[in-house]
Amino acid sequence: MMNIEKRLNDSDSLVCGVAASIAAKFGWSCFWTRVGWLALIVVKPALFLVVYFALALLKEKWA
């Protein structure tokens, strides 16, 4: 469990880096941002995975 928590707290990219980018941009906790994304993906997988990858494509324009 500690390894999972440590990995979720790490700012390195897990898949697309969207959650880490959003957390850094708004000053949120990377851990809770990723937990929130995970919860949303569990609730509506198709919709939120499309949103997640669409945001991944737009991530470069945020900087």
Short mmCIF file of all heavy atoms in Angstrom, two decimals:
data_model
loop_
_atom_site.label_atom_id
_atom_site.label_comp_id
_atom_site.label_asym_id
_atom_site.label_seq_id
_atom_site.Cartn_x
_atom_site.Cartn_y
_atom_site.Cartn_z
N MET A 1 0.82 -1.20 0.00
CA MET A 1 0.00 0.00 0.00
C MET A 1 0.86 1.26 0.00
O MET A 1 0.52 2.23 -0.65
CB MET A 1 -0.93 -0.04 1.21
CG MET A 1 -1.93 1.07 1.23
SD MET A 1 -3.07 0.86 -0.14
CE MET A 1 -4.17 2.16 0.15
N MET A 2 1.97 1.21 0.71
CA MET A 2 2.86 2.38 0.76
C MET A 2 3.45 2.67 -0.61
O MET A 2 3.64 3.83 -0.96
CB MET A 2 3.97 2.17 1.79
CG MET A 2 3.47 2.15 3.23
SD MET A 2 2.69 3.71 3.70
CE MET A 2 4.12 4.76 3.72
N ASN A 3 3.74 1.63 -1.40
CA ASN A 3 4.29 1.84 -2.74
C ASN A 3 3.26 2.52 -3.65
O ASN A 3 3.62 3.37 -4.45
CB ASN A 3 4.74 0.52 -3.36
CG ASN A 3 5.98 -0.01 -2.71
OD1 ASN A 3 6.75 0.72 -2.12
ND2 ASN A 3 6.16 -1.32 -2.79
N ILE A 4 2.00 2.13 -3.51
CA ILE A 4 0.95 2.75 -4.32
C ILE A 4 0.80 4.22 -3.94
O ILE A 4 0.73 5.09 -4.81
CB ILE A 4 -0.39 2.00 -4.14
CG1 ILE A 4 -0.28 0.60 -4.71
CG2 ILE A 4 -1.53 2.77 -4.80
CD1 ILE A 4 -1.45 -0.29 -4.40
N GLU A 5 0.77 4.50 -2.65
CA GLU A 5 0.64 5.88 -2.19
C GLU A 5 1.84 6.71 -2.62
O GLU A 5 1.68 7.85 -3.07
CB GLU A 5 0.49 5.90 -0.67
CG GLU A 5 0.15 7.26 -0.13
CD GLU A 5 -0.14 7.22 1.36
OE1 GLU A 5 -0.59 6.17 1.85
OE2 GLU A 5 0.10 8.24 2.02
N LYS A 6 3.03 6.15 -2.53
CA LYS A 6 4.23 6.87 -2.94
C LYS A 6 4.19 7.16 -4.45
O LYS A 6 4.55 8.24 -4.89
CB LYS A 6 5.48 6.05 -2.60
CG LYS A 6 6.78 6.79 -2.86
CD LYS A 6 7.99 5.91 -2.60
CE LYS A 6 8.05 5.52 -1.14
NZ LYS A 6 9.27 4.77 -0.82
N ARG A 7 3.73 6.19 -5.23
CA ARG A 7 3.66 6.36 -6.68
C ARG A 7 2.62 7.41 -7.07
O ARG A 7 2.82 8.20 -7.98
CB ARG A 7 3.32 5.02 -7.35
CG ARG A 7 3.29 5.08 -8.84
CD ARG A 7 4.66 5.36 -9.42
NE ARG A 7 4.58 5.37 -10.86
CZ ARG A 7 4.98 6.39 -11.62
NH1 ARG A 7 5.51 7.45 -11.07
NH2 ARG A 7 4.87 6.33 -12.91
N LEU A 8 1.49 7.44 -6.36
CA LEU A 8 0.46 8.44 -6.66
C LEU A 8 0.89 9.84 -6.24
O LEU A 8 0.46 10.83 -6.83
CB LEU A 8 -0.86 8.07 -5.98
CG LEU A 8 -1.59 6.86 -6.55
CD1 LEU A 8 -2.81 6.54 -5.72
CD2 LEU A 8 -1.97 7.08 -8.00
N ASN A 9 1.75 9.95 -5.23
CA ASN A 9 2.26 11.25 -4.80
C ASN A 9 3.35 11.78 -5.72
O ASN A 9 3.60 12.98 -5.76
CB ASN A 9 2.80 11.17 -3.37
CG ASN A 9 1.71 11.29 -2.35
OD1 ASN A 9 0.75 12.01 -2.54
ND2 ASN A 9 1.86 10.57 -1.25
N ASP A 10 4.00 10.89 -6.45
CA ASP A 10 5.10 11.28 -7.33
C ASP A 10 4.56 12.07 -8.51
O ASP A 10 3.52 11.74 -9.08
CB ASP A 10 5.82 10.01 -7.82
CG ASP A 10 7.13 10.32 -8.49
OD1 ASP A 10 7.61 11.46 -8.39
OD2 ASP A 10 7.68 9.40 -9.12
N SER A 11 5.25 13.14 -8.87
CA SER A 11 4.76 13.99 -9.96
C SER A 11 5.11 13.46 -11.35
O SER A 11 4.73 14.05 -12.35
CB SER A 11 5.31 15.40 -9.81
OG SER A 11 6.71 15.39 -9.93
N ASP A 12 5.83 12.33 -11.42
CA ASP A 12 6.12 11.73 -12.72
C ASP A 12 4.83 11.23 -13.37
O ASP A 12 3.86 10.90 -12.69
CB ASP A 12 7.08 10.55 -12.58
CG ASP A 12 8.49 11.01 -12.25
OD1 ASP A 12 8.79 12.19 -12.47
OD2 ASP A 12 9.27 10.17 -11.77
N SER A 13 4.85 11.15 -14.67
CA SER A 13 3.67 10.74 -15.43
C SER A 13 3.37 9.26 -15.20
O SER A 13 4.26 8.42 -15.25
CB SER A 13 3.93 10.98 -16.91
OG SER A 13 2.91 10.44 -17.68
N LEU A 14 2.10 8.94 -14.96
CA LEU A 14 1.67 7.55 -14.89
C LEU A 14 1.23 7.07 -16.26
O LEU A 14 1.67 6.04 -16.74
CB LEU A 14 0.52 7.37 -13.89
CG LEU A 14 0.85 7.56 -12.43
CD1 LEU A 14 -0.40 7.37 -11.58
CD2 LEU A 14 1.91 6.60 -11.98
N VAL A 15 0.34 7.80 -16.90
CA VAL A 15 -0.12 7.45 -18.23
C VAL A 15 0.16 8.62 -19.17
O VAL A 15 1.07 8.57 -19.97
CB VAL A 15 -1.63 7.10 -18.24
CG1 VAL A 15 -2.11 6.79 -19.64
CG2 VAL A 15 -1.90 5.91 -17.33
N CYS A 16 -0.59 9.68 -19.02
CA CYS A 16 -0.41 10.86 -19.88
C CYS A 16 0.09 12.08 -19.12
O CYS A 16 0.41 13.08 -19.71
CB CYS A 16 -1.72 11.22 -20.55
SG CYS A 16 -2.32 9.99 -21.68
N GLY A 17 0.10 12.00 -17.81
CA GLY A 17 0.55 13.13 -17.02
C GLY A 17 -0.50 14.21 -16.83
O GLY A 17 -0.18 15.30 -16.36
N VAL A 18 -1.73 13.94 -17.18
CA VAL A 18 -2.79 14.94 -17.09
C VAL A 18 -3.06 15.30 -15.63
O VAL A 18 -3.13 16.48 -15.28
CB VAL A 18 -4.08 14.45 -17.78
CG1 VAL A 18 -5.22 15.41 -17.53
CG2 VAL A 18 -3.84 14.30 -19.26
N ALA A 19 -3.21 14.31 -14.79
CA ALA A 19 -3.52 14.57 -13.37
C ALA A 19 -2.39 15.35 -12.71
O ALA A 19 -2.64 16.29 -11.95
CB ALA A 19 -3.79 13.27 -12.63
N ALA A 20 -1.15 14.98 -12.99
CA ALA A 20 -0.01 15.69 -12.41
C ALA A 20 0.04 17.13 -12.93
O ALA A 20 0.35 18.05 -12.16
CB ALA A 20 1.29 14.96 -12.72
N SER A 21 -0.27 17.34 -14.19
CA SER A 21 -0.27 18.69 -14.77
C SER A 21 -1.36 19.55 -14.16
O SER A 21 -1.14 20.72 -13.85
CB SER A 21 -0.45 18.63 -16.28
OG SER A 21 0.62 17.98 -16.88
N ILE A 22 -2.55 18.98 -14.01
CA ILE A 22 -3.65 19.72 -13.41
C ILE A 22 -3.32 20.06 -11.96
O ILE A 22 -3.57 21.18 -11.51
CB ILE A 22 -4.96 18.92 -13.50
CG1 ILE A 22 -5.42 18.85 -14.95
CG2 ILE A 22 -6.06 19.52 -12.63
CD1 ILE A 22 -6.62 17.95 -15.18
N ALA A 23 -2.76 19.11 -11.24
CA ALA A 23 -2.41 19.36 -9.84
C ALA A 23 -1.37 20.46 -9.73
O ALA A 23 -1.48 21.35 -8.87
CB ALA A 23 -1.89 18.07 -9.20
N ALA A 24 -0.37 20.45 -10.59
CA ALA A 24 0.68 21.47 -10.55
C ALA A 24 0.12 22.84 -10.95
O ALA A 24 0.46 23.86 -10.34
CB ALA A 24 1.82 21.08 -11.48
N LYS A 25 -0.75 22.86 -11.94
CA LYS A 25 -1.29 24.13 -12.43
C LYS A 25 -2.14 24.83 -11.39
O LYS A 25 -2.07 26.04 -11.23
CB LYS A 25 -2.11 23.89 -13.69
CG LYS A 25 -2.65 25.16 -14.29
CD LYS A 25 -3.33 24.92 -15.60
CE LYS A 25 -3.81 26.24 -16.15
NZ LYS A 25 -4.25 26.16 -17.51
N PHE A 26 -2.95 24.07 -10.66
CA PHE A 26 -3.85 24.66 -9.69
C PHE A 26 -3.36 24.56 -8.25
O PHE A 26 -4.05 25.00 -7.33
CB PHE A 26 -5.24 24.01 -9.79
CG PHE A 26 -5.91 24.29 -11.10
CD1 PHE A 26 -6.05 23.30 -12.05
CD2 PHE A 26 -6.39 25.55 -11.40
CE1 PHE A 26 -6.67 23.55 -13.27
CE2 PHE A 26 -7.01 25.83 -12.61
CZ PHE A 26 -7.14 24.82 -13.55
N GLY A 27 -2.18 23.98 -8.04
CA GLY A 27 -1.63 23.88 -6.69
C GLY A 27 -2.32 22.84 -5.83
O GLY A 27 -2.35 22.95 -4.61
N TRP A 28 -2.88 21.80 -6.46
CA TRP A 28 -3.57 20.75 -5.74
C TRP A 28 -2.60 19.63 -5.39
O TRP A 28 -1.51 19.53 -5.94
CB TRP A 28 -4.70 20.17 -6.56
CG TRP A 28 -5.78 21.13 -6.94
CD1 TRP A 28 -6.06 22.32 -6.34
CD2 TRP A 28 -6.71 21.00 -8.00
NE1 TRP A 28 -7.12 22.92 -6.95
CE2 TRP A 28 -7.54 22.13 -7.98
CE3 TRP A 28 -6.93 20.03 -8.96
CZ2 TRP A 28 -8.58 22.32 -8.89
CZ3 TRP A 28 -7.97 20.21 -9.86
CH2 TRP A 28 -8.77 21.34 -9.82
N SER A 29 -3.03 18.74 -4.54
CA SER A 29 -2.26 17.55 -4.20
C SER A 29 -2.31 16.58 -5.38
O SER A 29 -3.39 16.26 -5.89
CB SER A 29 -2.86 16.88 -2.96
OG SER A 29 -2.39 15.56 -2.83
N CYS A 30 -1.16 16.12 -5.82
CA CYS A 30 -1.09 15.17 -6.93
C CYS A 30 -1.81 13.88 -6.56
O CYS A 30 -2.51 13.29 -7.38
CB CYS A 30 0.36 14.92 -7.30
SG CYS A 30 0.58 14.05 -8.85
N PHE A 31 -1.64 13.44 -5.32
CA PHE A 31 -2.28 12.21 -4.85
C PHE A 31 -3.79 12.30 -4.98
O PHE A 31 -4.43 11.42 -5.57
CB PHE A 31 -1.88 11.94 -3.39
CG PHE A 31 -2.58 10.77 -2.78
CD1 PHE A 31 -2.15 9.48 -3.06
CD2 PHE A 31 -3.66 10.94 -1.95
CE1 PHE A 31 -2.78 8.39 -2.50
CE2 PHE A 31 -4.31 9.86 -1.39
CZ PHE A 31 -3.87 8.58 -1.66
N TRP A 32 -4.40 13.36 -4.45
CA TRP A 32 -5.86 13.47 -4.46
C TRP A 32 -6.40 13.76 -5.85
O TRP A 32 -7.52 13.36 -6.18
CB TRP A 32 -6.34 14.50 -3.45
CG TRP A 32 -6.17 13.98 -2.07
CD1 TRP A 32 -5.31 14.42 -1.13
CD2 TRP A 32 -6.87 12.87 -1.49
NE1 TRP A 32 -5.42 13.67 0.01
CE2 TRP A 32 -6.37 12.71 -0.18
CE3 TRP A 32 -7.85 12.00 -1.94
CZ2 TRP A 32 -6.83 11.71 0.66
CZ3 TRP A 32 -8.30 11.00 -1.10
CH2 TRP A 32 -7.79 10.87 0.19
N THR A 33 -5.63 14.42 -6.69
CA THR A 33 -6.06 14.64 -8.07
C THR A 33 -6.12 13.31 -8.81
O THR A 33 -7.08 13.03 -9.53
CB THR A 33 -5.10 15.60 -8.79
OG1 THR A 33 -5.01 16.81 -8.04
CG2 THR A 33 -5.58 15.92 -10.19
N ARG A 34 -5.11 12.47 -8.61
CA ARG A 34 -5.12 11.15 -9.24
C ARG A 34 -6.20 10.25 -8.67
O ARG A 34 -6.83 9.49 -9.41
CB ARG A 34 -3.75 10.50 -9.09
CG ARG A 34 -2.74 11.12 -10.01
CD ARG A 34 -1.40 10.48 -9.90
NE ARG A 34 -0.51 10.99 -10.93
CZ ARG A 34 0.80 11.03 -10.80
NH1 ARG A 34 1.38 10.59 -9.71
NH2 ARG A 34 1.53 11.51 -11.78
N VAL A 35 -6.46 10.33 -7.39
CA VAL A 35 -7.54 9.54 -6.78
C VAL A 35 -8.88 10.00 -7.35
O VAL A 35 -9.75 9.17 -7.65
CB VAL A 35 -7.50 9.65 -5.24
CG1 VAL A 35 -8.76 9.07 -4.62
CG2 VAL A 35 -6.27 8.94 -4.69
N GLY A 36 -9.05 11.30 -7.52
CA GLY A 36 -10.28 11.82 -8.12
C GLY A 36 -10.48 11.34 -9.54
O GLY A 36 -11.58 10.92 -9.93
N TRP A 37 -9.42 11.38 -10.35
CA TRP A 37 -9.51 10.89 -11.72
C TRP A 37 -9.85 9.41 -11.72
O TRP A 37 -10.66 8.95 -12.52
CB TRP A 37 -8.19 11.10 -12.47
CG TRP A 37 -8.12 12.42 -13.16
CD1 TRP A 37 -7.35 13.48 -12.79
CD2 TRP A 37 -8.84 12.84 -14.31
NE1 TRP A 37 -7.55 14.52 -13.65
CE2 TRP A 37 -8.46 14.16 -14.60
CE3 TRP A 37 -9.78 12.23 -15.12
CZ2 TRP A 37 -8.98 14.86 -15.67
CZ3 TRP A 37 -10.30 12.93 -16.18
CH2 TRP A 37 -9.90 14.24 -16.45
N LEU A 38 -9.23 8.64 -10.83
CA LEU A 38 -9.51 7.21 -10.74
C LEU A 38 -10.97 6.96 -10.41
O LEU A 38 -11.62 6.11 -11.01
CB LEU A 38 -8.60 6.56 -9.70
CG LEU A 38 -8.78 5.06 -9.51
CD1 LEU A 38 -8.41 4.31 -10.77
CD2 LEU A 38 -7.92 4.58 -8.36
N ALA A 39 -11.51 7.72 -9.47
CA ALA A 39 -12.92 7.57 -9.09
C ALA A 39 -13.82 7.89 -10.27
O ALA A 39 -14.81 7.18 -10.52
CB ALA A 39 -13.24 8.47 -7.90
N LEU A 40 -13.52 8.96 -11.00
CA LEU A 40 -14.33 9.32 -12.16
C LEU A 40 -14.25 8.26 -13.25
O LEU A 40 -15.27 7.95 -13.90
CB LEU A 40 -13.89 10.67 -12.71
CG LEU A 40 -14.16 11.88 -11.82
CD1 LEU A 40 -13.54 13.12 -12.42
CD2 LEU A 40 -15.65 12.06 -11.61
N ILE A 41 -13.09 7.69 -13.45
CA ILE A 41 -12.93 6.65 -14.47
C ILE A 41 -13.69 5.38 -14.07
O ILE A 41 -14.25 4.70 -14.92
CB ILE A 41 -11.44 6.37 -14.74
CG1 ILE A 41 -10.85 7.57 -15.49
CG2 ILE A 41 -11.24 5.09 -15.51
CD1 ILE A 41 -9.35 7.54 -15.64
N VAL A 42 -13.75 5.08 -12.78
CA VAL A 42 -14.50 3.92 -12.33
C VAL A 42 -16.00 4.14 -12.53
O VAL A 42 -16.73 3.22 -12.90
CB VAL A 42 -14.18 3.60 -10.85
CG1 VAL A 42 -15.14 2.61 -10.25
CG2 VAL A 42 -12.75 3.09 -10.73
N VAL A 43 -16.48 5.38 -12.32
CA VAL A 43 -17.91 5.68 -12.44
C VAL A 43 -18.36 5.65 -13.91
O VAL A 43 -19.35 5.01 -14.24
CB VAL A 43 -18.22 7.05 -11.81
CG1 VAL A 43 -19.64 7.48 -12.11
CG2 VAL A 43 -17.99 7.00 -10.31
N LYS A 44 -17.67 6.34 -14.77
CA LYS A 44 -18.02 6.42 -16.20
C LYS A 44 -16.76 6.22 -17.04
O LYS A 44 -16.16 7.18 -17.52
CB LYS A 44 -18.62 7.79 -16.54
CG LYS A 44 -19.94 8.09 -15.95
CD LYS A 44 -21.00 7.63 -16.89
CE LYS A 44 -22.34 8.16 -16.40
NZ LYS A 44 -23.40 7.80 -17.27
N PRO A 45 -16.32 4.99 -17.22
CA PRO A 45 -15.02 4.74 -17.85
C PRO A 45 -14.87 5.33 -19.25
O PRO A 45 -13.87 6.00 -19.52
CB PRO A 45 -14.93 3.22 -17.91
CG PRO A 45 -16.02 2.69 -17.10
CD PRO A 45 -17.00 3.77 -16.86
N ALA A 46 -15.81 5.12 -20.13
CA ALA A 46 -15.65 5.57 -21.51
C ALA A 46 -15.57 7.09 -21.59
O ALA A 46 -14.68 7.64 -22.24
CB ALA A 46 -16.79 5.05 -22.38
N LEU A 47 -16.47 7.76 -20.94
CA LEU A 47 -16.52 9.22 -21.00
C LEU A 47 -15.25 9.84 -20.43
O LEU A 47 -14.63 10.70 -21.06
CB LEU A 47 -17.75 9.74 -20.25
CG LEU A 47 -17.85 11.26 -20.14
CD1 LEU A 47 -18.07 11.87 -21.51
CD2 LEU A 47 -18.97 11.64 -19.19
N PHE A 48 -14.86 9.42 -19.25
CA PHE A 48 -13.73 10.08 -18.60
C PHE A 48 -12.38 9.67 -19.18
O PHE A 48 -11.43 10.43 -19.12
CB PHE A 48 -13.79 9.89 -17.09
CG PHE A 48 -14.87 10.73 -16.47
CD1 PHE A 48 -16.07 10.18 -16.08
CD2 PHE A 48 -14.70 12.10 -16.35
CE1 PHE A 48 -17.06 10.97 -15.54
CE2 PHE A 48 -15.69 12.89 -15.82
CZ PHE A 48 -16.88 12.33 -15.41
N LEU A 49 -12.29 8.48 -19.78
CA LEU A 49 -11.05 8.15 -20.48
C LEU A 49 -10.90 9.00 -21.73
O LEU A 49 -9.79 9.43 -22.05
CB LEU A 49 -11.01 6.66 -20.81
CG LEU A 49 -10.65 5.76 -19.64
CD1 LEU A 49 -10.78 4.30 -20.04
CD2 LEU A 49 -9.24 6.04 -19.14
N VAL A 50 -12.00 9.26 -22.42
CA VAL A 50 -11.95 10.16 -23.59
C VAL A 50 -11.53 11.56 -23.15
O VAL A 50 -10.67 12.19 -23.77
CB VAL A 50 -13.31 10.17 -24.33
CG1 VAL A 50 -13.36 11.30 -25.35
CG2 VAL A 50 -13.55 8.84 -24.99
N VAL A 51 -12.12 12.05 -22.06
CA VAL A 51 -11.77 13.37 -21.54
C VAL A 51 -10.30 13.39 -21.11
O VAL A 51 -9.57 14.34 -21.40
CB VAL A 51 -12.68 13.75 -20.36
CG1 VAL A 51 -12.18 14.99 -19.64
CG2 VAL A 51 -14.10 13.97 -20.85
N TYR A 52 -9.86 12.35 -20.43
CA TYR A 52 -8.47 12.27 -19.95
C TYR A 52 -7.48 12.35 -21.12
O TYR A 52 -6.53 13.12 -21.09
CB TYR A 52 -8.27 10.97 -19.17
CG TYR A 52 -6.93 10.87 -18.49
CD1 TYR A 52 -6.74 11.45 -17.24
CD2 TYR A 52 -5.87 10.21 -19.08
CE1 TYR A 52 -5.52 11.36 -16.60
CE2 TYR A 52 -4.65 10.12 -18.45
CZ TYR A 52 -4.47 10.69 -17.21
OH TYR A 52 -3.26 10.60 -16.59
N PHE A 53 -7.72 11.58 -22.17
CA PHE A 53 -6.80 11.59 -23.29
C PHE A 53 -6.94 12.86 -24.14
O PHE A 53 -5.96 13.31 -24.73
CB PHE A 53 -6.96 10.33 -24.13
CG PHE A 53 -6.37 9.12 -23.44
CD1 PHE A 53 -7.19 8.11 -22.97
CD2 PHE A 53 -5.01 9.01 -23.24
CE1 PHE A 53 -6.66 7.01 -22.33
CE2 PHE A 53 -4.46 7.92 -22.59
CZ PHE A 53 -5.29 6.91 -22.13
N ALA A 54 -8.11 13.45 -24.18
CA ALA A 54 -8.26 14.74 -24.86
C ALA A 54 -7.46 15.81 -24.12
O ALA A 54 -6.78 16.63 -24.75
CB ALA A 54 -9.72 15.13 -24.94
N LEU A 55 -7.53 15.80 -22.80
CA LEU A 55 -6.72 16.75 -22.02
C LEU A 55 -5.23 16.48 -22.19
O LEU A 55 -4.43 17.40 -22.17
CB LEU A 55 -7.11 16.69 -20.55
CG LEU A 55 -8.47 17.30 -20.20
CD1 LEU A 55 -8.80 17.04 -18.74
CD2 LEU A 55 -8.48 18.78 -20.50
N ALA A 56 -4.88 15.22 -22.38
CA ALA A 56 -3.46 14.89 -22.61
C ALA A 56 -2.96 15.51 -23.91
O ALA A 56 -1.82 15.96 -24.00
CB ALA A 56 -3.27 13.38 -22.65
N LEU A 57 -3.83 15.56 -24.90
CA LEU A 57 -3.45 16.20 -26.17
C LEU A 57 -3.32 17.71 -26.03
O LEU A 57 -2.51 18.34 -26.70
CB LEU A 57 -4.46 15.86 -27.25
CG LEU A 57 -4.53 14.39 -27.66
CD1 LEU A 57 -5.68 14.17 -28.62
CD2 LEU A 57 -3.21 13.95 -28.29
N LEU A 58 -4.10 18.30 -25.13
CA LEU A 58 -4.07 19.75 -24.93
C LEU A 58 -3.06 20.18 -23.87
O LEU A 58 -2.84 21.37 -23.68
CB LEU A 58 -5.46 20.24 -24.51
CG LEU A 58 -6.57 20.02 -25.54
CD1 LEU A 58 -7.91 20.40 -24.91
CD2 LEU A 58 -6.31 20.83 -26.77
N LYS A 59 -2.45 19.22 -23.20
CA LYS A 59 -1.54 19.52 -22.08
C LYS A 59 -0.39 20.43 -22.49
O LYS A 59 -0.02 21.33 -21.73
CB LYS A 59 -0.99 18.21 -21.51
CG LYS A 59 -0.12 18.41 -20.29
CD LYS A 59 0.35 17.09 -19.74
CE LYS A 59 1.45 16.58 -20.59
NZ LYS A 59 2.23 15.52 -19.98
N GLU A 60 0.15 20.24 -23.66
CA GLU A 60 1.28 21.06 -24.11
C GLU A 60 0.88 22.52 -24.27
O GLU A 60 1.70 23.42 -24.10
CB GLU A 60 1.83 20.51 -25.43
CG GLU A 60 2.38 19.11 -25.31
CD GLU A 60 3.52 19.00 -24.33
OE1 GLU A 60 4.35 19.93 -24.27
OE2 GLU A 60 3.56 18.01 -23.59
N LYS A 61 -0.37 22.80 -24.57
CA LYS A 61 -0.83 24.17 -24.76
C LYS A 61 -1.07 24.89 -23.43
O LYS A 61 -1.20 26.09 -23.40
CB LYS A 61 -2.11 24.18 -25.60
CG LYS A 61 -1.88 23.66 -27.00
CD LYS A 61 -3.15 23.65 -27.80
CE LYS A 61 -2.88 23.06 -29.17
NZ LYS A 61 -4.08 22.97 -29.97
N TRP A 62 -1.15 24.12 -22.32
CA TRP A 62 -1.37 24.72 -21.00
C TRP A 62 -0.16 25.47 -20.51
O TRP A 62 -0.28 26.46 -19.82
CB TRP A 62 -1.71 23.67 -19.97
CG TRP A 62 -3.04 23.03 -20.15
CD1 TRP A 62 -4.00 23.35 -21.06
CD2 TRP A 62 -3.56 21.96 -19.38
NE1 TRP A 62 -5.08 22.53 -20.90
CE2 TRP A 62 -4.83 21.67 -19.89
CE3 TRP A 62 -3.06 21.22 -18.32
CZ2 TRP A 62 -5.61 20.66 -19.35
CZ3 TRP A 62 -3.84 20.22 -17.81
CH2 TRP A 62 -5.11 19.95 -18.32
N ALA A 63 1.00 24.95 -20.81
CA ALA A 63 2.25 25.50 -20.30
C ALA A 63 2.46 26.86 -20.83
O ALA A 63 2.33 27.88 -20.43
CB ALA A 63 3.42 24.63 -20.69
#
